[in-house]
Amino acid sequence: MIKKPLPTIGVDKYTFFNVISDTLEGAEYGEAYNLKGTVEIAPTDTGGSDVFDADNGAYETASYIEKIGHDITNADIPPEVDAMWRGVERKMGVVEVGNDTKTVYFGVAWRILKSDGSYRYVRYYKGSYSFASNLGGKTKPSGGSIDRQTAKATYTAVQRDFDNNYYAYFDESDLPDSITRDEFEEKWFSDMNYYPTETV
């Protein structure tokens, strides 16, 4: 049975994990870090098709996706997260950014609220962040409503060496009867290799 498509109305629980190792034998991740203040997550994926011509016509068509990842808009990117994403060390709490930044890979997971109150869960297995400085500021208005500023970053996914996968998602409506939402979420946001399976 094909389910009725539902609009999404919210996003939260943005959680990232440092990729410790990624080999043909498996992928290992560090501790989960929950980034508070998520405003929006917008996919950056684009797709298309390429036609190979032979015998005076279209011989073969190949479909592809590229620029896999997402843009995240957040209330702020805290200094400790900025340092982790850039691959730099903080000195006495100070984040110094120079030319010695390195590419650091992270897995990431979040959930999307759908209009019926259920969730869709998303995870990207491996990727890196790029973002400009979030040090801009604006004078607080003396009257009227506050115009709040946000910070933005781009997560670019790469295939995981372990299984060549980019990302995965799962709808709460597909949960086995023996697993509750709380049990599932505890695993989804702590183990990047978790799959919900029916218990016997």
Side-chain angles (χ1 to χ4, degrees):
M1 180 180 80
I2 297 178
K3 298 168 187 169
K4 177 182 177 182
L6 296 169
T8 58
I9 58 176
V11 61
D12 68 347
K13 295 183 78 74
Y14 192 88
T15 306
F16 62 90
F17 311 74
N18 184 37
V19 177
I20 296 175
S21 66
D22 176 23
T23 66
L24 296 178
E25 286 73 42
E28 182 182 355
Y29 296 87
E31 292 293 316
Y33 188 106
N34 179 239
L35 178 64
K36 304 291 187 185
T38 305
V39 176
E40 180 183 10
I41 296 175
T44 56
D45 305 14
T46 59
S49 59
D50 188 33
V51 177
F52 173 69
D53 293 317
D55 293 334
N56 273 338
Y59 186 77
E60 184 178 273
T61 302
S63 298
Y64 62 88
I65 51 175
E66 59 185 2
K67 298 180 182 176
I68 299 173
H70 58 271
D71 290 330
I72 176 172
T73 302
N74 217 64
D76 185 30
I77 298 176
E80 64 270 20
V81 175
D82 188 316
M84 283 188 276
W85 287 0
R86 293 183 192 274
V88 299
E89 294 287 333
R90 288 200 295 163
K91 298 177 184 175
M92 306 297 288
V94 176
V95 179
E96 292 182 319
V97 179
N99 292 327
D100 60 345
T101 58
K102 58 181 183 285
T103 300
V104 183
Y105 290 108
F106 297 91
V108 63
W110 68 86
R111 68 180 186 178
I112 303 167
L113 178 62
K114 299 201 286 187
S115 60
D116 68 345
S118 68
Y119 286 98
R120 171 169 290 168
Y121 298 89
V122 182
R123 66 184 177 201
Y124 281 71
Y125 292 111
K126 184 178 180 181
S128 61
Y129 290 93
S130 59
F131 53 104
S133 165
N134 62 342
L135 303 181
K138 187 177 182 180
T139 298
K140 185 169 69 171
S142 57
S145 64
I146 298 173
D147 182 17
R148 291 178 173 83
Q149 293 178 272
T150 56
K152 297 184 178 182
T154 297
Y155 177 92
T156 303
V158 296
Q159 282 184 304
R160 191 163 65 168
D161 293 339
F162 167 48
D163 54 12
N164 294 322
N165 287 326
Y166 288 104
Y167 65 89
Y169 67 91
F170 179 81
D171 280 355
E172 180 185 347
S173 58
D174 292 323
L175 268 177
D177 293 336
S178 62
I179 302 176
T180 66
R181 176 196 285 178
D182 289 342
E183 290 170 338
F184 171 80
E185 287 191 357
E186 192 279 325
K187 292 289 191 180
W188 188 265
F189 293 108
S190 64
D191 182 357
M192 286 291 292
N193 295 305
Y194 168 72
Y195 289 88
T197 56
E198 187 78 62
T199 57
V200 180

